[in-house]
Amino acid sequence: MRILLLSACLLAAGPALAADDASSCAEGITMIRDALALNPPETAVPKLRKALRVAEREQKEGEFDECLDAVADARKVLGR
């Protein structure tokens, strides 16, 4: 019975978690675009462009966890 209740709670929370991931993904994409606009070091530019490309593709596909992975990669490059 407890397992069923736990499963029901997780299923109910699923859409809310997906919405959070979607907004975090969009914010991350904006952060990467802003970083590229500020003329980062030459060594960081290709990595940031790749992270942006991957994040945008995954956002379109609805794979927000993979989008967030690309955003995390960009943050590493920026040292954030």
Side-chain angles (χ1 to χ4, degrees), residues 17-26 54-55 57-73:
L17 294 175
D20 288 343
D21 285 351
S23 64
S24 295
C25 174
V54 170
R57 180 185 67 226
E58 298 303 336
Q59 182 185 39
K60 289 177 187 173
E61 293 175 0
E63 297 291 334
F64 301 114
D65 57 334
E66 294 177 24
C67 172
L68 293 176
D69 290 342
V71 170
D73 292 343

Side-chain angles (χ1 to χ4, degrees), residues 11-65:
L11 287 174
L17 294 175
D20 288 343
D21 285 351
S23 64
S24 295
C25 174
E27 290 171 5
I29 289 172
T30 301
M31 182 270 306
I32 298 170
R33 286 181 182 150
D34 291 345
L36 283 167
L38 294 174
N39 298 320
E42 277 302 309
T43 57
V45 172
K47 294 175 184 177
L48 290 173
R49 285 186 181 152
K50 179 181 179 188
L52 179 60
R53 186 179 68 247
V54 170
E56 289 174 334
R57 180 185 67 226
E58 298 303 336
Q59 182 185 39
K60 289 177 187 173
E61 293 175 0
E63 297 291 334
F64 301 114
D65 57 334

